[in-house]
Amino acid sequence: MRRLLAALLLVLAFGVAQRAEVSVGSPFGLQGGVRFPLVPLLLDGRAYGGVGLEAMGGGVDLLLKLPLTDLYLGLGGFYGTGPALTFPQEGRGQGGVRMVLGTWLNLPLPLLGVYLEAQPVYYLTPVQSFGVGLAVGVSVGL
């Protein structure tokens, strides 16, 4: 039943997606996902899955766009099969919540965006600890 629900949510996310994204960095190494509008020009949702050297998993984020800027803030959760890619190394966990502090880089490329994110993380499992991750990504779409 869980797999069916996850598959339905994934199909729904791809159906309403505004952008497809690929990023390198936190939390799993290499991520792919979709970004879709929840409130036009103000709030986006993002669903992603990823794989890395030590872990694989997925997560979701809510991203609040700051008007008249290229900045956005977000809050999300993730869960994986191994330790996520953040620092410090000794406190990494498999699942938790994270904040997203991101910006779009101003490149003159049609339908293509490049973004940079810092991600403070609070791990909930298997141990409770803090970490910080970074990611750089490419986004394709409207």
Side-chain angles (χ1 to χ4, degrees), residues 8-20:
L8 287 174
L9 287 175
L10 187 62
V11 168
L12 179 64
F14 278 111
V16 297
Q18 182 180 20
R19 303 185 70 83

Side-chain angles (χ1 to χ4, degrees), residues 42-65:
L42 188 60
L43 186 66
D44 285 348
R46 174 169 58 189
Y48 61 91
V51 63
L53 295 175
E54 296 183 81
M56 61 185 289
V60 294
D61 296 321
L62 289 175
L63 304 169
L64 176 66
K65 300 175 188 179

Side-chain angles (χ1 to χ4, degrees), residues 2-141:
R2 286 185 191 183
R3 287 184 182 178
L4 178 61
L5 182 58
L8 287 174
L9 287 175
L10 187 62
V11 168
L12 179 64
F14 278 111
V16 297
Q18 182 180 20
R19 303 185 70 83
E21 298 184 338
V22 175
S23 66
V24 176
S26 179
F28 302 111
L30 179 64
Q31 283 87 221
V34 293
R35 189 180 291 217
F36 46 92
L38 296 173
V39 177
L41 303 175
L42 188 60
L43 186 66
D44 285 348
R46 174 169 58 189
Y48 61 91
V51 63
L53 295 175
E54 296 183 81
M56 61 185 289
V60 294
D61 296 321
L62 289 175
L63 304 169
L64 176 66
K65 300 175 188 179
L66 298 179
L68 304 176
T69 71
D70 291 332
L71 302 174
Y72 56 92
L73 303 172
L75 186 63
F78 65 93
Y79 186 78
T81 61
L85 181 62
T86 59
F87 297 100
Q89 294 286 315
E90 60 274 358
R92 300 178 306 157
Q94 294 177 332
V97 294
R98 70 181 187 167
M99 231 181 115
V100 177
L101 309 166
T103 186
W104 291 96
L105 304 178
N106 289 319
L107 301 176
L109 303 171
L111 300 177
L112 190 66
V114 177
Y115 59 91
L116 181 64
E117 295 179 350
Q119 303 159 348
V121 177
Y122 180 66
Y123 291 107
L124 300 171
T125 180
V127 296
Q128 294 181 352
S129 64
F130 289 99
V132 176
L134 297 172
V136 62
V138 174
S139 183
V140 179

